Amino acid sequence: MLSKSLIEDVLTAALSTGGDFSEIFVEDRFTNNITLQSGRIETCLSGRDFGVGIRVFKGLQSVYAYTTDFSKEGLINAAKNAAQAITGNTIIQLVPLIHEKAETIHPVQIMPQEVDKFRKAAIMKKTYDTAKNYHSSISQVTVRFMDEEQNVLIANSEGKFAEDKRVRSKLSIQAVAVRDNQMETGFHGPGAHQGFEFFENLNIDHYANEAARIAVTMLDASPCPSGKFPVIIDNEFGGVIFHEACGHGLEATSVAKNNSVFANRIGEKVAPSIVTYIDDGTIQNEWGSINIDDEGEKARKNVLIENGILKGYLIDKFNSRRMGMESTGSGRRQSFRFAPTSRMTNTYIAPGKSTPEEIIANTEQGIYTKYMGGGQVNPATGDYNFAVMEAYEVKNGKLGKPLKGATLIGNGPKTLQLVDMVGNNLGHGAGMCGSLSGSIPVNVGQPMIRVSEITVGGTKGE
Amino acid sequence: MNIQEFQTKLFSAAQTSGFTDVEMYYEKKEVFGCQVYKGEIDQYEIAEDGGVSFRGIINGKMGYAYSEKIDKASIPFLLENAKENTRIMHDEDIEEIFAGSSHYGRGNFFSTSLNEITIPEKVQFIKDVERELLALDSRIVATDYCMIRTESASRNLSNNKGLSLTDQMNYLYVIVEAIVKDGEETKTSAEFKVTKDFHSLNAKEIAIKAADAALSQLGSRNIASKDYPVLLRNDAAASLLAIFSANFSAENTQAGLSSLKDKLGKQIAGQKITIVDDPFLEEGLASRTFDSEGVATKKLTLVESGVLQSLLHNQKTAKKEQTKTTGHAHKDSYKSAVKVGPSNLYLEPSGVTFEELLRVMDEGILITELSGLHSGANTVSGDFSVAANGFYVADGKVQYPINLMTIAGNFYQLLQDVEEIGADLIFPLSPVGSPSVLVKTLSVTVE
């Protein structure tokens, strides 16, 4: 994407005022976004994102500059702008760059740019028709199609010179069901680190019907009661609760400054022994998977909590300095507009021994959440909140009526201690995660789990 | 290649490729940001950013494409993709390239003096904020972030019908989040300031506000979970209104995604509620003299004394309802298609002070922060159930902070249940603003 000599010039210019590390990130990304609503293609947008990010460290100071001006003058200028934030004389020399093509652990068969858009539209139409025809109360279906090819080049003053191609595909379905004045929605959004073959192999009927079924089911749902209950959280996207309650608190972004509730607790028991929590960027073709991270480090499987004991954090290059610990291949960013920081890839609770049937049968009274919406956490306090998309009451070991309007709130580390059953049905769900370095694709995952007590906020009093 | 040259070549190549009408939209911005941590620069960002989007009509259909790479190779890329994209589009609801409004208002969104503030001045200021903050109280252990940021941006829209429009804006903001600890209890609170007048900022004042907001939350207690009268403080009320502002879009009513469909001229809110959209606010983050189709913008009343007066329209949605565009064609950036969106939208303030609102409520809950709105609010049904921070109020006075809560209700019901509106209009780092709002009742659950 840029010549080796130009990269060397930029890295050297960035070090000219005494920086002890410099890095360049070049991104060339092709994207298609298509929206189908009311049975018609509403928008079809294609684009090319292109830009360069330059980073300089000096000790615990980090400077970031980015530009869409890719001329030699533009890049050298950006490097000098970054260097200006540091004062001093050159202290290190560039290590000669050695080119490496990232090893592809997520093979792509059909490149999105090579597929006729009619074939993409056909996938969307089929999805729309399936969801729309699910039930007469379905009044609207919005289908969003996204594919992208992101080419990156990452080089740094330590001699790293890596290139990678990331291809991602995602289909989102939102269904609306209407009865009288009541409107309810259902959503599903599968995605993968894969080419067009993802859509061809996707069980569209399943996802479209599920989105529609949730909306229709919610028409008959009762207001969720408020209070503290045992909560059963089903697999796949249910894992978003530990993504928020625990994953963000294990990112070096908050651990390095001791702002996280998990800081300085390696080796301590932070969860019951049935809980093992893993971040694994190497799972083949998963939505959150990477070949290399955005600092050029190879993707890894990082065990964060093993049988309840805190084993490690997610660490990027800069925070590894403050922490005195190695990077874990977790430096990620939305685009060249963001300096990378520690982020999750595919994070999940490892499967346990209980069957889903056992978990439900063992719960006398509580709430079962089949699908979660999104959530949020404050890493400094550990306080989290989640929206529940589809929930049911549990009575005497059996599922009861559907419930709507439930929100789960609590404190991450405390909730983690209250996990008392872990199922054997591990599944993953695709989502977008927003944090300091922007919005990035991640998977959340878990088998069905039970937490002995969570505060449920609903619209019906206790 | 400079942008003028790029446009000339793009338009001429477009004509050769069979496009009848064409438009180029170009954005460019300069960004500076600096975050400090314990007296040192921790993050530092400096950038030049921008890109173009192309819209063009070919075979009677509108095609779109964008690029951040402004070079010769991008011209065929834009044209080929735009052309190919029209092939799968349906040919109803034709979008048009706009020839221009008769009059455009004058925008005053750019401060020359703000652009003259040097980087060292900004860095020093944000270091001062952190130093003042950490010195205030031993319970303030750190900042989660303490940063200053400036953006200076321009947007330009030109087309083959002779339109060439440019808006320029800049702003500076400071945001600081204090972390306070007392025994086992940790609380955080963020304070921000947006301005075009750097010299109006006072580091100590910002530090004191951030410290007070965080420290006042220590010592939180439990109260019974039930329905309470709720006073939504201005910033919390604005965050809720922001989520539901999309419901005023005619695009959403036409798609059956907003229940404001067929409500024009009807009472949708309490009589005290007036909601306006003003694209000419000098300090507004979404101020603009022309919308994303090049239509002149103007101030619009959406709700007056509770009655729905207008929805937000672009040319396409207006055509469907045989009405006129309100100048609310909106693109998030050159990367987006033309949709519908507000500029600076806000609930009009009254003359009632915050203290008076507390007195009127007498007993209830003061909500100072809502979180999880992106997932806990259903814009289609209007239902929301979100996490909240706040205080117990009795005898018209703030008594003590409450443990983490959720509040739940329905946006449309809430509009009907507004009992009083404050004077303290604020735009909390957002183009959607509100004063504090007293609501008859909401369901409150306490952890």
Side-chain angles (χ1 to χ4, degrees):
Chain A
M1 288 188 271
L2 294 181
S3 75
K4 191 170 153 184
S5 68
L6 178 55
I7 292 167
E8 286 171 341
D9 289 348
V10 170
L11 291 174
T12 304
L15 292 173
S16 61
T17 56
D20 59 34
F21 172 85
S22 65
E23 175 199 72
I24 182 168
F25 177 84
V26 187
E27 178 183 14
D28 192 4
R29 184 200 304 240
F30 297 89
T31 315
N32 291 297
N33 276 294
I34 315 175
T35 310
L36 187 152
Q37 203 170 59
S38 309
R40 299 198 310 262
I41 300 285
E42 283 277 321
T43 56
C44 178
L45 194 60
S46 305
R48 181 179 191 183
D49 295 23
F50 186 92
V52 178
I54 297 161
R55 194 158 61 138
V56 193
F57 295 164
K58 182 177 190 177
L60 294 181
Q61 186 179 347
S62 168
V63 179
Y64 194 67
Y66 65 86
T67 181
T68 50
D69 180 352
F70 56 91
S71 68
K72 182 170 179 176
E73 302 71 46
L75 293 172
I76 298 288
N77 201 23
K80 285 186 175 158
N81 271 339
Q84 260 171 25
I86 291 168
T87 43
N89 297 316
T90 308
I91 53 164
I92 66 152
Q93 298 295 326
L94 201 63
V95 174
L97 300 178
I98 297 166
H99 187 261
E100 51 187 291
K101 199 98 190 164
E103 188 191 331
T104 302
I105 45 182
H106 311 294
V108 171
Q109 288 161 21
I110 310 170
M111 294 305 290
Q113 295 297 98
E114 287 160 16
V115 179
D116 192 299
K117 283 177 180 141
F118 276 113
R119 287 172 68 196
K120 300 180 184 180
I123 297 277
M124 298 175 72
K125 188 75 172 78
K126 184 182 174 207
T127 310
Y128 175 87
D129 289 340
T130 308
K132 187 78 176 67
N133 296 330
Y134 176 82
H135 193 267
S136 59
S137 65
I138 297 291
S139 62
Q140 181 60 282
V141 177
T142 306
V143 180
R144 290 194 170 84
F145 177 102
M146 188 283 296
D147 62 31
E148 66 175 24
E149 174 190 328
Q150 182 202 28
N151 299 292
V152 297
L153 180 160
I154 302 146
N156 67 32
S157 56
E158 293 166 352
K160 166 87 59 194
F161 182 16
E163 284 186 275
D164 192 20
K165 185 188 286 292
R166 291 95 176 244
V167 177
R168 286 198 169 82
S169 301
K170 197 170 198 297
L171 191 68
S172 314
I173 310 141
Q174 188 199 43
V176 180
V178 171
R179 187 194 293 151
D180 304 324
N181 284 326
Q182 191 191 350
M183 291 167 101
E184 299 294 345
T185 58
F187 177 85
H188 231 306
H193 187 138
Q194 228 175 351
F196 190 70
E197 68 274 16
F198 167 72
F199 299 105
E200 292 189 321
N201 300 330
L202 190 69
N203 186 345
I204 288 172
D205 285 350
H206 167 74
Y207 291 104
N209 282 327
E210 275 296 271
R213 187 195 55 74
I214 296 166
V216 173
T217 305
M218 287 300 108
L219 286 176
D220 291 313
S222 308
C224 184
S226 302
K228 293 184 161 81
F229 300 98
V231 176
I232 298 168
I233 303 163
D234 214 338
N235 66 355
E236 298 179 357
F237 202 73
V240 70
I241 189 160
F242 290 100
H243 168 98
E244 302 291 350
C246 166
H248 279 296
L250 295 170
E251 290 170 342
T253 316
S254 52
V255 176
K257 292 179 183 168
N258 288 329
N259 289 347
S260 165
V261 285
F262 292 105
N264 302 315
R265 295 183 64 191
I266 297 257
E268 282 182 36
K269 193 146 186 335
V270 297
S273 347
I274 47 172
V275 174
T276 291
Y277 196 49
I278 296 166
D279 182 82
D280 186 357
T282 69
I283 309 175
Q284 199 177 79
N285 293 117
E286 282 294 343
W287 174 244
S289 292
I290 51 176
N291 293 313
I292 54 170
D293 73 1
D294 292 325
E295 298 179 322
E297 296 294 315
K298 272 189 182 170
R300 299 184 202 182
K301 178 174 179 174
N302 291 301
V303 177
L304 303 170
I305 297 170
E306 189 170 26
N307 302 322
I309 310 284
L310 183 62
K311 289 286 180 182
Y313 302 115
L314 296 167
I315 308 171
D316 59 290
K317 267 186 186 296
F318 179 64
N319 284 304
S320 82
R321 293 183 163 211
R322 208 184 279 280
M323 294 166 75
M325 292 170 80
E326 290 282 298
S327 148
T328 57
S330 307
R332 300 187 69 193
R333 53 179 129 198
Q334 178 181 328
S335 71
F336 68 89
R337 291 192 171 82
F338 296 85
T341 190
S342 51
R343 303 292 294 269
M344 290 174 257
T345 59
N346 308 300
T347 320
Y348 61 95
I349 302 234
K353 294 199 169 68
S354 309
T355 64
E357 296 73 25
E358 273 166 16
I359 297 176
I360 292 166
N362 273 296
T363 307
E364 208 164 296
Q365 207 209 347
I367 309 276
Y368 161 69
T369 68
K370 185 166 168 62
Y371 286 111
M372 301 287 284
Q376 201 176 330
V377 70
N378 178 337
T381 60
D383 290 342
Y384 65 77
N385 64 78
F386 295 89
V388 182
M389 190 156 60
E390 183 182 6
Y392 294 85
E393 66 174 10
V394 182
K395 258 193 180 155
N396 304 320
K398 289 195 173 67
L399 294 188
K401 62 184 181 192
L403 302 170
K404 66 171 181 174
T407 298
L408 308 182
I409 56 168
N411 183 271
K414 286 183 193 156
T415 299
L416 195 55
Q417 296 283 4
L418 298 178
V419 173
D420 64 359
M421 292 185 94
V422 177
N424 58 6
N425 58 337
L426 173 63
H428 301 273
M432 294 303 292
C433 167
S435 182
L436 282 181
S437 61
S439 176
I440 58 166
V442 297
N443 260 7
V444 297
Q446 65 172 39
M448 181 187 281
I449 59 151
R450 189 176 74 175
V451 180
S452 61
E453 187 184 279
I454 298 185
T455 302
V456 181
T459 41
K460 201 173 106 190
E462 276 175 289
Chain B
M1 195 186 308
N2 77 31
I3 196 71
Q4 242 57 54
E5 199 183 333
F6 184 82
Q7 186 197 309
T8 312
K9 288 194 169 143
L10 177 67
F11 281 10
S12 111
Q15 211 172 15
T16 317
S17 319
F19 284 91
T20 48
D21 284 331
V22 292
E23 170 196 281
M24 189 180 95
Y25 180 80
Y26 173 60
E27 279 180 356
K28 189 171 160 47
K29 69 178 173 185
E30 284 170 22
V31 180
F32 170 75
C34 176
Q35 175 172 307
V36 292
Y37 183 70
K38 303 213 161 147
E40 300 290 335
I41 292 177
D42 178 42
Q43 304 282 336
Y44 184 100
E45 180 191 5
I46 187 159
E48 283 188 28
D49 203 356
V52 295
S53 74
F54 170 79
R55 288 203 304 162
I57 292 178
I58 188 162
N59 302 324
K61 294 193 236 173
M62 182 78 82
Y64 280 83
Y66 75 86
S67 178
E68 288 174 346
K69 201 166 190 180
I70 315 284
D71 66 356
K72 215 171 132 193
S74 287
I75 292 174
F77 171 83
L78 289 170
L79 298 178
E80 278 159 27
N81 274 285
K83 192 170 178 177
E84 202 203 326
N85 288 344
T86 61
R87 289 168 55 232
I88 62 165
M89 302 286 295
H90 292 76
D91 44 14
E92 308 113 273
D93 322 320
I94 297 164
E95 286 180 46
E96 281 174 26
I97 299 292
F98 186 62
S101 302
S102 54
H103 172 77
Y104 289 87
R106 260 190 58 188
N108 192 11
F109 320 135
F110 185 83
S111 154
T112 318
S113 60
L114 180 61
N115 266 28
E116 285 163 3
I117 307 297
T118 64
I119 288 177
E121 281 179 279
K122 294 179 216 176
V123 172
Q124 189 54 49
F125 181 82
I126 199 64
K127 283 186 173 172
D128 290 348
V129 171
E130 197 204 28
R131 195 189 62 245
E132 295 280 2
L133 177 70
L134 296 176
L136 281 171
D137 193 300
S138 61
R139 291 171 296 172
I140 303 169
V141 292
T143 57
D144 200 8
Y145 41 83
C146 182
M147 68 180 293
I148 191 163
R149 191 177 164 92
T150 47
E151 276 200 33
S152 179
S154 68
R155 51 195 281 273
N156 173 274
L157 183 148
S158 343
N159 64 33
N160 68 316
K161 294 186 173 173
L163 204 58
S164 179
L165 301 164
T166 302
D167 265 347
Q168 240 191 321
M169 74 152 12
N170 62 357
Y171 60 87
L172 174 150
Y173 70 79
V174 171
I175 181 159
V176 51
E177 180 167 273
I179 303 178
V180 297
K181 274 198 172 109
D182 194 11
E184 287 292 285
E185 198 177 17
T186 304
K187 297 285 179 187
T188 66
S189 189
E191 171 64 19
F192 68 89
K193 269 277 193 259
V194 190
T195 188
K196 290 193 202 304
D197 180 9
F198 178 71
H199 298 292
S200 71
L201 294 175
N202 180 320
K204 189 156 194 174
E205 201 175 292
I206 294 171
I208 289 173
K209 276 195 169 171
D212 284 352
L215 291 168
S216 64
Q217 291 183 55
L218 289 170
S220 66
R221 303 189 212 169
N222 214 329
I223 56 163
S225 296
K226 60 173 187 163
D227 290 354
Y228 287 93
V230 166
L231 176 58
L232 291 166
R233 196 175 69 185
N234 54 7
D235 44 355
S239 66
L240 191 67
L241 181 60
I243 288 287
F244 289 103
S245 63
N247 295 27
F248 291 101
S249 149
E251 203 167 37
N252 284 333
T253 58
Q254 289 172 4
L257 297 175
S258 161
S259 21
L260 294 179
K261 196 180 178 178
D262 308 324
K263 295 276 167 66
L264 272 185
K266 293 190 176 139
Q267 194 83 32
I268 61 152
Q271 294 215 339
K272 292 188 172 165
I273 290 193
T274 292
I275 298 173
V276 295
D277 182 90
D278 186 352
F280 287 93
L281 293 182
E282 287 185 14
E283 302 260 318
L285 291 180
S287 294
R288 55 201 187 205
T289 63
F290 60 94
D291 75 0
S292 299
E293 289 178 315
V295 175
T297 55
K298 54 179 191 286
K299 190 171 174 179
L300 176 73
T301 301
L302 294 166
V303 177
E304 188 161 21
S305 305
V307 177
L308 183 65
Q309 301 288 354
S310 178
L311 293 168
L312 304 170
H313 281 286
N314 62 16
Q315 292 196 92
K316 181 170 152 185
T317 63
K319 211 170 187 178
K320 278 192 196 171
E321 294 181 24
Q322 285 94 49
T323 179
K324 277 193 174 151
T325 171
T326 56
H328 287 94
H330 179 76
K331 290 190 205 193
D332 289 332
S333 78
Y334 52 87
K335 291 188 190 184
S336 329
V338 172
K339 311 290 285 175
V340 172
S343 65
N344 308 298
L345 180 148
Y346 61 93
L347 181 60
E348 276 210 337
S350 74
V352 185
T353 65
F354 187 72
E355 288 68 31
E356 184 59 23
L357 290 174
L358 285 172
R359 270 198 295 277
V360 174
M361 180 163 75
D362 188 46
E363 195 204 345
I365 313 265
L366 165 66
I367 298 290
T368 52
E369 188 186 358
L370 296 175
S371 46
L373 278 159
H374 66 289
S375 52
N378 185 330
T379 54
V380 177
S381 67
D383 290 334
F384 62 88
S385 176
V386 296
N389 281 320
F391 298 82
Y392 178 65
V393 175
D395 303 322
K397 289 198 177 73
V398 173
Q399 302 292 327
Y400 49 80
I402 307 167
N403 293 347
L404 189 62
M405 297 174 269
T406 69
I407 61 164
N410 180 282
F411 178 68
Y412 298 108
Q413 187 58 45
L414 184 148
L415 286 179
Q416 303 280 1
D417 288 350
V418 168
E419 302 208 308
E420 202 56 79
I421 289 172
D424 51 350
L425 173 63
I426 196 174
F427 291 85
L429 267 185
S430 154
V432 178
S434 177
S436 298
V437 171
L438 177 59
V439 184
K440 190 157 73 184
T441 175
L442 285 173
S443 171
V444 176
T445 309
V446 186
E447 201 206 350

